[in-house]
Amino acid sequence: MQFDHGEKMKYYELFFENARDMMLVIDMDGHILEANLAAVNIYGYEYSELLSKTIFDLRGTETNYLTKEQMKKAEEKGVLFETFHRRKDGHVFPVEVNSRGVMVENTPVLLSIIRDITQRKQAEARYSELFDHMSSGVAVYQASEKGNDFIFQDFNFAAQKIDHINKEILIGKSVLEVFPGIKAFGFFEVLQRVWRTGISEKFPLSEYKDGRIIGWRENDVYKLSSGEVVSIYKDMTAKKQAEAELFRTKERLRITLESIGDAVIATDSEGQVSFMNKVAEIMTGWDREDAIGEPVSRVFRIINEYTRKPVENPVDKVLTEHKVLGLANHTMLIAKDGREFFIADSAAPIRGIDGSIHGVVLVFHDVSEERRAEKEIKYLSFHDNLTGLYNRAYFDKQLIQLDAQCYLPTSLIMGDVNGLKLTNDAFGHQEGDKLLINMAEILKKASRKEDIIARWGGDEFVILMPHTCKTKAMKVMEAIKQNCSMCCNEMIQPTIGLGLATKEMFDESIYKVLKKAEERMYRNKLMESKSARSALISSLKKTLWERSHETEEHGKRLEEMAMKMGHLLGMSTSEQDELSLLAVLHDIGKVGIPDDILLKPGPLSSEQWQVMKKHTEIGCRIAQSSPELFSISEGILTHHERWDGNGYPQGLKEEAIPLIARIVAIVDAYDVMTHDRIYKKAISHTEALKEIKQCAGNQFDSRLVKVFINIFEKEC
């Protein structure tokens, strides 16, 4: 199908005006000759305004010289590059520019297609942050020499820490050059295999050595769609060292126990004591002189640990059966003075040359410590060290044992504690542990004696309830909820998402029932999540007001002043919502600062000030833990930044500081100055405004200071 020139022009115009990317026609002096609708909308100028601009007016940071150089290259052969452009409102945003020289009516011009790449840059930044904050080491390789070597492309912070090498040193270098022991390690073959086959592999725990480092590593290796190979690995050296130390400790204990002298008692053929050594004297409580000639059953009194009834004396049994015998388990020795020992022993006949029995030798030793250790190990192997509840290993064992017809109906309650991460971020892991301990006590109080309560995972619990129908199990759930609501004196009120399922038919899989309880728990948790997070945020506010100079009235005043500024600045509804929330919660991170610093009436020392400054980072982590606060996390982090770049924690300056943070910085400073604090007296409204003006351009944004002064100069 052929088009005449007029039709082609119409199609070109339609394409030009309806393109999503910005399109500009620019003469060689940089004047904008034509712009499409997308350019008008994105730059924020009226069409006529935009045509009165030059490309230099739109560029964000480059010098005119650099821009002219790029224009020259575009005219000659076309260019594709990334830069920054500036909107009418002053906002600078990243763009990708594809510019090429064309002839229009015998005049050279540049046709530039400009794409807003803000979202792409944000995604790249998120990837970079995730990459560098992973706890595992991550290395990215590019195959070279047809897979006979690999070149480092990227190396995250954890990997640098594990392998004691800076990223800058190894990027672009050969794996064989940086890690000469990698072939002997066996890992190089895995890289080659994964690169050739594309099949991921797990490289088992192994020890790496070269002239620079030595350590145990465990690797997972993948091939990316880009053809690069990635290894994700952990430094297991500390674990192996701990295992080795544990082994050495056990070995020392074994040798020590083997070196301790056993107690020895010998009898005649009538079973009367004829000899005993010093260890036997100590354990039985009998002096040798007193014991000689006494029946061994009187000196060596043994009972069953559980029944407390006398056990048949092994000497009498040896004299009857004429063979070596050992004591039964759970045997205890009762000393003359009433002391009790768990013992292990053996008794053997003493034979004459003719084989006749002349007596018996009894060898025994104290195993009380071993028995106690055995019980403790057994306890620890089936109990959670933090909460004292049963652990998952014990629960799994009981789940199998109680999965029988005689225990039906069997109910399972799964629970997931709300806000553990937020609690850890706000108050530290010690307070998070306290939350888990409190929840364990709540579950024990609500459950019955026959129920099995276990800590399932980090913040998950499970209750196994044999002989329990759904109705009875629901009463336990209600009791748990009620017990949670009664814990009103805690820094963070414990709440938990619960799910219930009941097995009523024997042929029904107990694991499917468990899965059903878990799914219901997650569903209920999802439905309750908003109210649970709101309760946590309320707890944080309450704690902030109770533990610091910040008050609810202070927050309301800041909110009122900030909203007036936001309204005058023409902020959108969503932006004003964020501003309102930040005004109230900007100092939420102070809940994680120790009281002796937070409430100190005098000046802080330099060390204390460094701790205090951490509240912006703590507050940011708290906000990032909650979907309702995530949008103001950056504002919380940056509300102590200064316009001149001398603030904290990042030293941001000018427009790099979020607008809402700059507004809150001004209203917060004003409110602090005009109200009494324990460390200073309030100053007047006029004095405060004067101080705000003096700080314009260094501490505060001058433009926002003018807005603030215009609003509040006449109010008081």
Side-chain angles (χ1 to χ4, degrees):
M1 183 177 180
Q2 297 292 323
F3 297 104
D4 61 28
H5 180 73
E7 289 175 323
K8 284 184 179 180
M9 291 305 296
K10 288 181 182 178
Y11 282 115
Y12 291 156
E13 287 177 7
L14 283 172
F15 171 71
F16 187 83
E17 285 303 323
N18 289 281
R20 292 186 177 182
D21 289 334
M22 298 169 281
M23 300 181 72
L24 299 177
V25 178
I26 307 164
D27 68 17
M28 299 314 298
D29 291 325
H31 295 100
I32 298 173
L33 304 177
E34 187 58 83
N36 70 347
L37 183 60
V40 171
N41 291 335
I42 293 174
Y43 286 120
Y45 290 99
E46 295 293 333
Y47 176 74
S48 58
E49 284 185 289
L50 192 55
L51 294 190
S52 69
K53 300 293 181 181
T54 69
I55 192 62
F56 307 109
D57 298 325
L58 302 182
R59 294 299 283 267
T61 55
E62 288 88 347
T63 63
N64 290 349
Y65 172 79
L66 178 59
T67 304
K68 289 177 180 178
E69 285 293 309
Q70 291 169 336
M71 290 174 63
K72 184 176 179 181
K73 290 180 181 178
E75 181 186 16
E76 293 172 353
K77 57 182 179 179
V79 291
L80 177 67
F81 61 96
E82 291 180 3
T83 184
F84 290 90
H85 277 190
R86 189 186 307 275
R87 295 190 177 98
K88 181 179 179 180
D89 62 6
H91 176 72
V92 176
F93 62 105
V95 294
E96 179 184 80
V97 179
N98 188 346
S99 187
R100 179 174 293 277
V102 297
M103 296 295 292
V104 176
E105 296 180 354
N106 296 322
T107 302
V109 296
L110 296 179
L111 175 60
S112 295
I113 301 174
I114 303 163
R115 176 168 294 174
D116 184 348
I117 58 173
T118 301
Q119 291 185 347
R120 188 173 83 193
K121 288 298 182 181
Q122 289 173 342
E124 291 173 356
R126 284 193 296 270
Y127 163 77
S128 177
E129 185 174 354
L130 175 64
F131 184 80
D132 274 328
H133 283 78
M134 288 181 67
S135 59
S136 298
V138 182
V140 182
Y141 316 92
Q142 181 69 56
S144 69
E145 299 177 12
K146 298 182 180 180
N148 290 319
D149 201 353
F150 291 84
I151 306 301
F152 281 103
Q153 301 297 305
D154 211 343
F155 206 65
N156 75 345
F157 180 76
Q160 296 175 62
K161 188 175 180 181
I162 291 171
D163 287 321
H164 307 290
I165 191 168
N166 290 329
K167 176 179 178 178
E168 291 75 15
I169 295 175
L170 52 72
I171 295 302
K173 288 189 176 179
S174 158
V175 170
L176 296 174
E177 177 186 353
V178 179
F179 294 101
I182 197 168
K183 285 191 174 180
F185 184 46
F187 183 61
F188 191 80
E189 294 178 7
V190 176
L191 287 178
Q192 291 179 311
R193 257 196 323 271
V194 172
W195 178 72
R196 285 197 305 269
T197 66
I199 300 172
S200 302
E201 288 193 30
K202 186 177 186 67
F203 186 67
L205 183 63
S206 305
E207 187 178 32
Y208 175 82
K209 295 180 181 179
D210 63 28
R212 184 177 61 83
I213 60 171
I214 180 171
W216 289 83
R217 305 286 186 265
E218 190 175 63
N219 284 265
D220 289 281
V221 187
Y222 311 88
K223 186 176 182 181
L224 303 179
S225 59
S226 64
E228 295 170 314
V229 178
V230 175
S231 68
I232 302 175
Y233 59 100
K234 293 183 178 180
D235 184 2
M236 308 299 287
T237 306
K239 180 182 177 182
K240 291 297 293 184
Q241 290 173 342
E243 289 175 353
E245 180 59 30
L246 179 61
F247 176 80
R248 287 193 292 270
T249 300
K250 289 183 176 180
E251 188 65 11
R252 284 195 296 268
L253 178 60
R254 184 187 67 80
I255 294 172
T256 301
L257 290 174
E258 289 176 352
S259 300
I260 294 174
D262 289 341
V264 180
I265 296 177
T267 73
D268 57 23
S269 59
E270 299 297 323
Q272 294 178 329
V273 176
S274 60
F275 170 82
M276 62 191 304
N277 69 358
K278 188 64 178 177
V279 178
E281 287 185 83
I282 294 171
M283 291 186 65
T284 62
W286 282 75
D287 291 332
R288 183 181 307 176
E289 291 76 11
D290 296 335
I292 298 299
E294 292 288 338
V296 70
S297 57
R298 187 178 177 197
V299 176
F300 187 67
R301 291 175 54 218
I302 52 177
I303 64 171
N304 181 276
E305 172 189 0
Y306 299 115
T307 66
R308 306 292 294 182
K309 292 181 179 180
V311 175
E312 181 181 7
N313 198 293
V315 172
D316 296 335
K317 201 168 183 180
V318 169
L319 290 172
T320 301
E321 299 182 8
H322 297 181
K323 62 182 181 180
V324 177
L325 296 172
L327 274 180
N329 291 331
H330 314 299
T331 301
M332 295 183 69
L333 170 66
I334 308 300
K336 188 176 182 180
D337 57 8
R339 289 175 296 128
E340 298 181 355
F341 301 91
F342 289 104
I343 61 168
D345 84 337
S346 64
I350 302 173
R351 298 180 182 275
I353 295 176
D354 58 358
S356 61
I357 303 299
H358 288 265
V360 176
V361 60
L362 179 65
V363 181
F364 59 96
H365 61 277
D366 180 6
V367 294
S368 299
E369 286 302 317
E370 293 175 43
R371 287 297 304 278
R372 276 193 285 271
E374 207 174 285
K375 286 184 176 181
E376 184 177 353
I377 291 170
K378 186 175 181 181
Y379 178 87
L380 292 174
S381 67
F382 287 129
H383 287 79
D384 175 53
N385 191 42
L386 177 65
T387 63
L389 297 177
Y390 290 117
N391 60 17
R392 184 164 181 172
Y394 181 82
F395 174 83
D396 289 342
K397 184 177 179 182
Q398 291 299 304
L399 190 65
I400 295 171
Q401 291 183 357
L402 299 181
D403 187 20
Q405 182 77 41
C406 59
Y407 294 109
L408 296 179
T410 299
S411 290
L412 286 158
I413 297 175
M414 285 286 290
D416 189 302
V417 179
N418 295 318
L420 179 61
K421 185 178 186 304
L422 184 58
T423 302
N424 286 335
D425 288 342
F427 305 107
H429 287 273
Q430 188 173 0
E431 198 64 34
D433 290 346
K434 183 179 176 183
L435 176 61
L436 293 174
I437 293 169
N438 287 343
M439 185 56 68
E441 291 302 315
I442 287 170
L443 297 178
K444 286 193 285 186
K445 186 177 179 181
S447 301
R448 306 162 307 177
K449 185 178 180 181
E450 62 270 24
D451 297 334
I452 296 171
I453 313 168
R455 186 176 177 195
W456 181 256
D459 54 2
E460 293 181 334
F461 297 86
V462 61
I463 306 175
L464 175 59
M465 310 171 74
H467 301 300
T468 307
C469 64
K470 181 179 178 181
T471 302
K472 290 181 180 179
M474 288 184 70
K475 289 182 179 179
V476 173
M477 286 179 62
E478 290 169 5
I480 293 170
K481 294 287 188 181
Q482 185 176 2
N483 290 345
C484 286
S485 65
M486 293 171 64
C487 294
C488 54
N489 294 325
E490 300 296 333
M491 188 174 291
I492 291 293
Q493 182 172 349
T495 61
I496 187 170
L498 298 171
L500 165 66
T502 301
K503 176 176 177 175
E504 297 177 336
M505 305 297 292
F506 178 67
D507 59 355
E508 186 178 7
S509 167
I510 191 68
Y511 296 104
K512 288 185 178 179
V513 175
L514 180 64
K515 181 67 175 175
K516 192 182 296 182
E518 187 175 24
E519 289 171 352
R520 288 173 177 171
M521 173 194 74
Y522 285 125
R523 185 180 63 198
N524 292 337
K525 191 173 176 70
L526 183 62
M527 291 188 294
E528 299 167 358
S529 61
K530 189 168 184 180
S531 60
R533 288 193 296 266
S534 296
L536 283 168
I537 293 168
S538 296
S539 294
L540 289 172
K541 286 182 183 178
K542 181 182 176 184
T543 302
L544 175 64
W545 295 332
E546 289 176 350
R547 294 187 59 238
S548 71
H549 307 304
E550 311 304 331
T551 64
E552 186 173 4
E553 291 74 19
H554 170 69
K556 288 179 179 178
R557 290 193 299 268
L558 261 61
E559 182 180 18
E560 182 180 349
M561 289 188 288
M563 293 305 290
K564 287 182 179 180
M565 291 184 68
H567 179 72
L568 191 62
L569 289 167
M571 296 174 72
S572 66
T573 302
S574 62
E575 289 172 330
Q576 290 188 48
D577 289 342
E578 291 178 4
L579 178 59
S580 172
L581 200 55
L582 182 63
V584 176
L585 294 176
H586 61 285
D587 275 336
I588 196 67
K590 287 184 178 178
V591 298
I593 302 299
D595 286 345
D596 61 326
I597 295 176
L598 200 60
L599 302 176
K600 186 176 180 180
L604 298 178
S605 66
S606 58
E607 293 81 7
Q608 291 172 328
W609 181 237
Q610 291 304 314
V611 175
M612 175 64 84
K613 285 162 64 173
K614 293 289 184 184
H615 80 274
T616 58
E617 298 170 46
I618 296 171
C620 179
R621 291 198 299 272
I622 293 171
Q624 289 175 341
S625 300
S626 172
E628 286 82 357
L629 301 182
F630 187 86
S631 63
I632 64 167
S633 59
E634 188 178 4
I636 292 174
L637 180 66
T638 59
H639 75 276
H640 279 296
E641 300 287 1
R642 291 170 53 104
W643 184 255
D644 59 9
N646 291 321
Y648 66 87
Q650 296 172 299
L652 301 180
K653 63 188 298 186
E654 299 178 0
E655 299 287 343
I657 307 168
L659 176 61
I660 59 174
R662 284 180 272 147
I663 293 172
V664 167
I666 294 172
V667 297
D668 187 31
Y670 171 81
D671 195 73
V672 169
M673 286 190 286
T674 55
H675 291 83
D676 285 339
R677 295 290 175 110
I678 63 171
Y679 55 84
K680 72 169 196 65
K681 289 291 184 181
I683 63 177
S684 69
H685 168 73
T686 303
E687 291 173 314
L689 289 182
K690 182 179 179 182
E691 182 69 20
I692 294 290
K693 289 179 182 177
Q694 289 177 346
C695 293
N698 46 59
Q699 184 175 353
F700 305 126
D701 182 344
S702 299
R703 180 175 68 92
L704 295 180
V705 168
K706 290 179 182 178
V707 174
F708 180 82
I709 298 298
N710 288 339
I711 295 173
F712 298 106
E713 194 167 32
K714 300 175 183 178
E715 288 202 1
C716 297

